[in-house]
Amino acid sequence: MTLFHVIHGGALKVSSAPAWSDSTASADDQYLMSATSADAPGPAARYNDVVSEAAVRAAGLTKRYGSVRALDGLDLEVGAGEVHAFLGPNGAGKTTTIRILLGLLRKDGGEVSLLGADPWRDAVELHRRLAYVPGDVTLWPSLTGGEIIDLLGRLRGGINANRRKALTERFDLDTSKRARAYSRGNRQKVALIAALASEAELLLLDEPTAGLDPLMEATFRDCVIEDQHDGRTILLSSHLLSEAEALSDRVTIIRHGRTVATGTLADMRHLTRVSVEAELSAPAALDGMPGVHELTVTGAVVRCRVDRAALDEVVGHLHQAGIRSLTCRPPTLEELFLRHYSPERSSAGSQ
């Protein structure tokens, strides 16, 4: 089979690729044809002009792979000009949804629209108006990073040269190196620079910080916040709740192909208790303290979940007891699902 590189707004066919089976090859072929056969457009309008309309809308979306139901009536709506986090554990259906939005997969049922058009029927026009970054980027090994960024820009009709230069410096990427010499993180930087420097109205980002170190994750967040202030529409698929909290206007959480929660971050603030684990020199009086939940004490080690508003007071109590080690972290999305959506916990809570 031929390997396709789908990075943002376009795809290219590369020969001498490894042979493996791919049930979506025909969809990839369609994406390749739409991206490379269209006349090169002028720079698209960078942002959405009609903010009252949804940039992405899906209702009752379904998709099956044989006997496996990947999407089971999923609902999703992304307002124009907002950053929308699309969250779920691995296998929840996030990537399948994005591939339908890109026109790589055809839905089995339900309704879906992207920038007011059908992503399957109107793929050619839509690919001129969006940029896409996957979580595992494959690049052309013999090309330099700079050549790849420029090539991807030409597939969409151009790139903002000044922003390209600024992003290259901010992500600390040596664009003179050939892609075969890049680490996974540097490959990710190439795709991010190409997308963020584009004039796309809509960014589809599927685990975009995979492979980045914490410093580059912070740089990515800064870039998204800048685009957010300018009104660019961004659909951010991630399993990291902390990333969604830092960037998103609204959040949709899915599980097993269904939407289980959607709303603003303020609506979901109750989902963001902090996990605290501390090794202390002496006992700390946390039992019954407001904002402290699921407290357990094993010897000198204290574990609990703490409401953000109570975190400073809890850490103060721990400090008075003498801290030998302290770890504070937001809950993972998997923990949130186990806590709020698992059948066992739901049934236990109703008893």
Side-chain angles (χ1 to χ4, degrees), residues 24-322:
T24 63
S26 60
D28 286 341
D29 283 337
Q30 181 186 14
Y31 191 44
L32 167 70
M33 292 166 58
S34 70
T36 57
S37 64
D39 294 334
R46 182 166 184 175
Y47 306 118
N48 299 280
D49 295 327
V50 184
V51 297
S52 61
E53 297 183 358
V56 178
R57 181 180 286 114
L61 199 60
T62 62
K63 180 64 182 178
R64 300 184 68 99
Y65 298 102
S67 61
V68 177
R69 187 183 292 272
L71 298 180
D72 189 17
L74 181 136
D75 298 320
L76 173 66
E77 184 166 314
V78 180
E82 77 173 5
V83 178
H84 193 108
F86 189 42
L87 308 175
N90 293 334
K94 304 187 303 295
T95 297
T96 295
T97 302
I98 288 181
R99 288 176 68 83
I100 289 175
L101 295 177
L102 287 169
L104 294 173
L105 290 176
R106 172 176 268 170
K107 63 181 174 64
D108 291 337
E111 300 297 328
V112 61
S113 67
L114 190 72
L115 299 174
D118 186 315
W120 182 261
R121 185 186 64 238
D122 304 316
V124 173
E125 175 60 28
L126 288 174
H127 293 159
R128 299 171 179 171
R129 303 171 61 191
L130 65 86
Y132 167 58
V133 178
D136 189 8
V137 175
T138 302
L139 303 177
W140 299 273
S142 61
L143 298 183
T144 67
E147 290 170 338
I148 293 170
I149 293 171
D150 292 338
L151 172 59
L152 292 173
R154 288 196 299 273
L155 285 173
R156 299 192 62 260
I159 200 166
N160 186 317
N162 291 333
R163 185 153 173 78
R164 175 197 187 280
K165 180 180 179 181
L167 287 167
T168 299
E169 293 173 355
R170 293 173 68 175
F171 280 100
D172 192 24
L173 178 67
D174 183 351
T175 57
S176 66
K177 286 186 177 180
R178 298 193 183 278
R180 65 168 60 92
Y182 281 148
S183 64
R184 182 186 181 187
N186 281 333
R187 294 196 303 271
Q188 203 69 24
K189 292 177 186 180
V190 170
L192 285 170
I193 292 169
L196 292 170
S198 73
E199 301 290 342
E201 300 172 51
L202 171 66
L203 299 184
L204 299 179
L205 309 179
D206 189 5
E207 308 289 355
T209 57
L212 296 185
D213 60 45
L215 181 61
M216 292 299 102
E217 287 181 0
T219 299
F220 165 77
R221 291 183 182 188
D222 290 342
C223 292
V224 171
I225 290 171
E226 292 168 8
D227 277 359
Q228 181 183 36
H229 290 162
D230 289 337
R232 176 135 65 168
T233 306
I234 299 174
L235 178 62
L236 172 64
S237 172
S238 177
H239 63 274
L240 301 175
L241 189 64
S242 59
E243 189 169 76
E245 287 175 324
L247 298 175
S248 303
D249 300 304
R250 292 197 304 130
V251 173
T252 294
I253 300 176
I254 69 171
R255 187 182 184 195
H256 300 321
R258 288 177 174 265
T259 300
V260 295
T262 188
T264 66
L265 290 177
D267 295 335
M268 297 186 173
R269 194 64 67 185
H270 66 286
L271 298 179
T272 59
R273 289 173 182 162
V274 177
S275 296
V276 176
E277 180 176 327
E279 184 180 359
L280 305 175
S281 301
L286 300 181
D287 194 16
M289 185 175 174
V292 176
H293 309 269
E294 303 175 33
L295 175 66
T296 61
V297 180
T298 306
V301 177
V302 174
R303 297 182 181 87
C304 59
R305 296 183 185 275
V306 181
D307 294 339
R308 289 182 180 273
L311 187 58
D312 286 345
E313 186 177 357
V314 169
V315 172
H317 277 67
L318 296 176
H319 177 70
Q320 293 174 6

